[in-house]
Amino acid sequence: MKRIANQWKDYECCDAGDGEKLERWQNILLRRPDPQAVWKKTDHAGWDRIHAHYHRSSRGGGSWEFKQTVPETWTVSYKELTFKVSPTGFKHTGLFPEQAVNWDWMQAKIRKAKANGRPVRILNLFAYTGGATMACASAGADEVVHVDASKGMVQWAKENMALSHLENRTIRFIVDDVLKFVAREKRRGHTYQGILMDPPSYGRGPNGEIWKLEDQINELVNACLDILDDDALFLLVNSYTTGFSSIVLENILRTTVLRRHPSGYVFAGEVGLPITQDNMILPCGIYGAWSDEDDEV
């Protein structure tokens, strides 16, 4: 299955190919590496009008080459949400626009649950700058708990909360190792109707804890089962790990969540962005989801 984020106005993947993508963020054109874009790019005029180009280094990492004046930060909006974006030193801009399709899915589930008088508490793990956090809060979740090991990313998420005018919603920001936090929530007896996670391939917690996706994803999903409410709406896993199949996520969810919540449904597939130039899809990662309803987008 494919989930395509095709509702953007402030973002556009204009073209892609030869290992790069050409993107419009509001009125700024960026050229960034993309290992999935192995086909030949076109002669789209935007390639020659870019504001900035990220070059990878043979020694690892990379740097931006600025062709035109680019503000240090600016904002883009998605429907009722507004986010800060910035060309960071590690290629990213602080937002993964393909995830908007998952935001829409979660928002629809939250709004339906609230209309039916159900409580909705959401846990966002590896929450980064909080795109999903703001989407869930905006949809009316009673509480959203945002957990990330990086103080800088949590601060960025707080800025996005202010930009989206969500200061009056109940959002808790936690800087912590996700496994340790989930274990504490179990001891406290806290449960959530929705849990989402975007685990990295490799990472470190705030106290040097090591995370490796292939070694710990099963442990994390099983730990989350202990705090997934009996009246749960969803559990969503995203992954950008190269070579990690969506079928792996499907199998993990079938052997964990579906066994504990057999009346639900499991979906898995790719997340992508439409490429304007040739009406193609740029693959941007994979997802696996357990849902209380057969509501795949």
Side-chain angles (χ1 to χ4, degrees):
M1 298 179 184
K2 290 184 290 188
R3 290 185 173 182
I4 309 302
N6 57 9
Q7 300 296 308
W8 279 96
K9 294 181 179 178
D10 279 2
Y11 172 86
E12 178 186 9
C13 182
C14 307
D15 196 12
D18 294 325
E20 294 185 301
K21 56 189 172 187
L22 174 67
E23 305 168 293
R24 177 181 62 82
W25 296 81
Q26 188 68 272
N27 60 348
I28 304 292
L29 282 176
L30 301 181
R31 182 172 178 174
R32 295 193 292 161
D34 194 301
Q36 298 276 18
V38 298
W39 54 90
K40 290 294 182 183
K41 66 173 179 279
T42 72
D43 58 356
H44 191 292
W47 291 107
D48 297 320
R49 300 203 308 264
I50 58 171
H51 291 76
H53 186 182
Y54 189 88
H55 298 279
R56 288 198 181 279
S57 169
S58 60
R59 298 184 298 274
S63 61
W64 288 94
E65 176 189 9
F66 293 98
K67 304 283 190 177
Q68 302 182 51
T69 301
V70 175
E72 184 177 344
T73 68
W74 65 99
T75 62
V76 297
S77 294
Y78 182 77
K79 299 182 179 179
E80 75 277 14
L81 304 170
T82 300
F83 304 105
K84 182 184 86 170
V85 295
S86 177
T88 69
F90 45 95
K91 185 187 75 169
H92 298 304
T93 61
L95 194 66
F96 292 94
E98 63 274 8
Q99 288 299 322
V101 68
N102 284 327
W103 304 342
D104 289 343
W105 178 72
M106 290 185 290
Q107 284 190 318
K109 295 187 70 61
I110 292 167
R111 286 171 177 145
K112 182 178 179 179
K114 293 304 298 177
N116 291 329
R118 295 170 65 180
V120 179
R121 297 180 66 244
I122 303 295
L123 176 61
N124 186 6
L125 301 173
F126 306 99
Y128 195 48
T129 61
T133 296
M134 305 315 149
C136 293
S138 178
D142 297 287
E143 181 182 39
V144 183
V145 179
H146 174 112
V147 184
D148 198 279
S150 168
K151 291 182 180 178
M153 293 301 102
V154 170
Q155 179 57 41
W156 196 327
K158 291 178 179 178
E159 294 178 55
N160 285 334
M161 176 182 67
L163 288 168
S164 292
H165 305 293
L166 294 169
E167 299 96 329
N168 63 336
R169 303 299 173 92
T170 303
I171 304 173
R172 287 202 296 134
F173 295 97
I174 309 292
V175 178
D176 203 353
D177 173 77
V178 296
L179 279 167
K180 291 181 178 179
F181 178 80
V182 169
R184 284 202 303 276
E185 289 293 87
K186 178 184 177 181
R187 292 195 295 270
R188 294 166 180 149
H190 292 171
T191 62
Y192 296 86
Q193 285 74 33
I195 299 177
L196 62 142
M197 62 187 78
D198 194 349
S201 302
Y202 178 86
R204 288 186 180 275
N207 297 311
E209 302 92 341
I210 295 176
W211 164 271
K212 290 183 69 175
L213 180 70
E214 63 270 26
D215 293 341
Q216 292 173 282
I217 184 63
N218 259 306
E219 179 185 0
L220 177 59
V221 172
N222 274 297
C224 286
L225 272 180
D226 291 331
I227 60 171
L228 187 66
D229 197 84
D230 291 339
D231 192 26
L233 299 173
F234 65 85
L235 188 147
L236 173 67
V237 183
N238 292 295
S239 176
Y240 292 90
T241 300
T242 304
F244 211 67
S245 169
S246 64
I247 298 175
V248 173
L249 293 183
E250 180 178 358
N251 291 344
I252 289 172
L253 296 179
R254 286 190 178 278
T255 56
T256 55
V257 191
L258 196 60
R259 289 180 180 174
R260 187 83 65 92
H261 298 268
S263 62
Y265 301 82
V266 169
F267 314 106
E270 294 191 66
V271 177
L273 288 164
I275 303 172
T276 304
Q277 179 69 3
D278 280 331
N279 195 29
M280 298 193 300
I281 302 297
L282 179 67
C284 300
I286 61 173
Y287 74 95
W290 175 90
S291 173
D292 66 330
E293 297 180 311
D294 186 5
D295 57 2
E296 173 68 312
V297 293

